[in-house]
Amino acid sequence: METSDGEAHCPVSSFNEWDLLEEVIVGVVDGACFPPSHVSLEAPLPHDQRAVFRKNAGRPFPPEQIAAAQKELDEFVHILEGEGVTVRRPVPSDQLQPYGAPGWSSTGLYDAMPRDVLLVVGNDIIECPMAWRSRYYATTSFKPLLKEYFKKGARWSAGPKPELKDELYDYNWTEPTNGGPVQFVITEFEPTFDAADFIRCGTDIIAQKSNVTNDFGIAWLARHLGDTYRIHVFEFNDPHAMHIDATLVPLAPGKLLINPERVPEVPRIFKGWDVFHAPKPIIPSEHTLYMTSKWINMNILSLDEKRVIVEHQDEPMIAALKSWGFKPIPCNFRNFNSFGGSFHCATLDVRRRGKLESYLLDGME
Ligand code: ABU
């Protein structure tokens, strides 16, 4: 690919969560299915959804909910294109096609959340070794795009293909007691991680261990990325941890949105940053959220250091963002939220205009 000044540049290039967004992958919700029942789902799912998942295991999500989410995705794509962003979409996979490996079999989940599945660090687009058996083939729908980006000059990597044997899971997992230590449902049997457990701030990457990301996975990623990057691992107050992007969301350099329930103390490396407490979510309790807490209202996508996409009905968040100096762009997304994500989860920023820099205390020391 050539720039207007004739300089060759890579189609994949993104170092942080806020540089000017040029190209993005937006997920698709077509064919979304409840995964087969498994202990790995119990730990991160909202308490009231565990029985729903067991009852509907291996069946499609209600078609009217899929259709409502599709409509919102279309609106989201329209807004992104109107803001000058190139939008790419995956080819939906058949989630009901059974597959397996020695010792287990499964069907799929969805292709709705590219943020979980793929991690972009600089020019490298990394396929994640995901811990859920229902996501073993989660990158399949994105392969045509991965091939295209590679041919145009991107690095294309993949974590070690996990075996997902029973040894990876704690079949005795139980809900942590109030105030007791958080128990994750995965072990250190092999490296696993979801990309959404990492937040990119230039040379510094913030990570959390979770019910899908283990120390082994974080260590693999750190070695893969090399000495240019530092991964900082923090623990937050999230008894059902799976993905960091409704806990700690850097909106722009020096501007951090935090979940006030999960982040009692802001990590020291953000010293000097403005810290904004996310307003309480206003999603009504009768609105089904299959795979997320209401704090999904924090799952904002920055188009640059000012423009942020935010849920249309979330007036407290819109008002707060305006008061903090941002330009919120509202988009209906509450039906999509039911599937476990919002604007950050539903996207993968493939290219942002910017370069590798250090923004955090440790990165500058
Ligand atoms: N990636 C979605 C995270 C949702 C939550 O932490 O509540």
Side-chain angles (χ1 to χ4, degrees), residues 116 196 238 242-247 262 291-296 299 340-341 345:
D116 302 355
D238 184 0
M242 177 174 168
H243 306 159
I244 197 171
D245 52 359
T247 298
R262 293 185 187 166
M291 302 170 70
T292 179
S293 70
K294 291 186 187 183
W295 287 106
I296 202 62
N299 196 256
C345 296

Side-chain angles (χ1 to χ4, degrees), residues 255-293:
K255 295 187 188 305
L256 181 68
L257 181 66
I258 62 157
N259 180 321
E261 285 181 1
R262 293 185 187 166
V263 188
E265 202 179 326
V266 177
R268 194 186 74 90
I269 55 170
F270 286 101
K271 192 165 174 231
W273 281 47
D274 295 333
V275 175
F276 306 126
H277 287 216
K280 257 193 177 327
I282 55 157
I283 303 175
S285 292
E286 56 278 15
H287 184 78
T288 306
L289 293 176
Y290 288 113
M291 302 170 70
T292 179
S293 70

Side-chain angles (χ1 to χ4, degrees), residues 24-280:
V24 74
I25 300 175
V26 174
V28 292
V29 75
D30 313 48
C33 287
F34 289 94
S37 230
H38 189 251
V39 67
S40 57
L41 306 177
E42 299 278 316
L45 284 183
H47 205 268
D48 63 334
Q49 289 302 322
R50 292 177 190 159
V52 176
F53 270 63
R54 274 187 233 122
K55 183 165 159 246
N56 292 292
R59 295 198 204 137
F61 280 95
E64 65 284 1
Q65 288 180 335
I66 294 180
Q70 279 168 327
K71 201 163 159 236
E72 292 177 345
L73 279 168
D74 290 345
E75 178 187 339
F76 181 35
V77 168
H78 185 70
I79 289 171
L80 287 167
E81 287 176 341
E83 296 293 325
V85 182
T86 300
V87 177
R88 311 298 303 274
R89 308 296 297 273
V91 182
S93 303
D94 175 6
Q95 305 295 342
L96 289 172
Q97 176 80 46
Y99 57 82
W104 60 269
S105 61
S106 187
T107 49
L109 172 64
Y110 53 42
D111 302 310
M113 314 288 174
R115 184 73 59 182
D116 302 355
V117 177
L118 296 162
L119 178 64
V120 170
V121 180
N123 296 338
D124 196 1
I125 188 160
I126 304 164
E127 296 184 51
C128 297
M130 302 181 86
W132 282 12
R133 290 172 175 169
S134 55
R135 304 189 93 175
Y136 188 73
Y137 283 109
T139 60
T140 303
S141 308
F142 302 92
K143 295 277 185 188
L145 289 168
L146 295 175
K147 290 174 192 172
E148 178 194 317
Y149 292 138
F150 176 78
K151 285 178 185 165
K152 290 181 176 163
R155 279 186 77 194
W156 176 12
S157 312
K161 194 176 5 203
E163 294 178 274
L164 307 186
K165 288 179 172 179
D166 285 349
E167 288 93 319
L168 178 63
Y169 309 102
D170 176 2
Y171 283 89
N172 296 318
W173 180 88
T174 48
E175 184 73 37
T177 48
N178 225 351
V182 171
Q183 297 270 96
F184 296 122
V185 74
I186 54 166
T187 68
E188 294 291 335
F189 173 66
E190 61 186 341
T192 65
F193 61 88
D194 277 17
D197 274 322
F198 299 86
I199 285 281
R200 300 151 316 137
C201 298
T203 53
D204 295 279
I205 295 174
I206 312 301
Q208 69 167 7
K209 263 181 83 172
S210 76
N211 285 296
V212 289
T213 296
N214 56 19
D215 280 327
F216 208 168
I218 296 170
W220 181 88
L221 183 66
R223 198 173 301 172
H224 174 77
L225 294 177
D227 293 341
T228 309
Y229 296 92
R230 280 166 297 272
I231 299 186
H232 308 268
V233 187
F234 296 107
E235 209 175 287
F236 302 104
N237 281 352
D238 184 0
H240 305 123
M242 177 174 168
H243 306 159
I244 197 171
D245 52 359
T247 298
L248 200 73
V249 178
L251 297 168
K255 295 187 188 305
L256 181 68
L257 181 66
I258 62 157
N259 180 321
E261 285 181 1
R262 293 185 187 166
V263 188
E265 202 179 326
V266 177
R268 194 186 74 90
I269 55 170
F270 286 101
K271 192 165 174 231
W273 281 47
D274 295 333
V275 175
F276 306 126
H277 287 216
K280 257 193 177 327

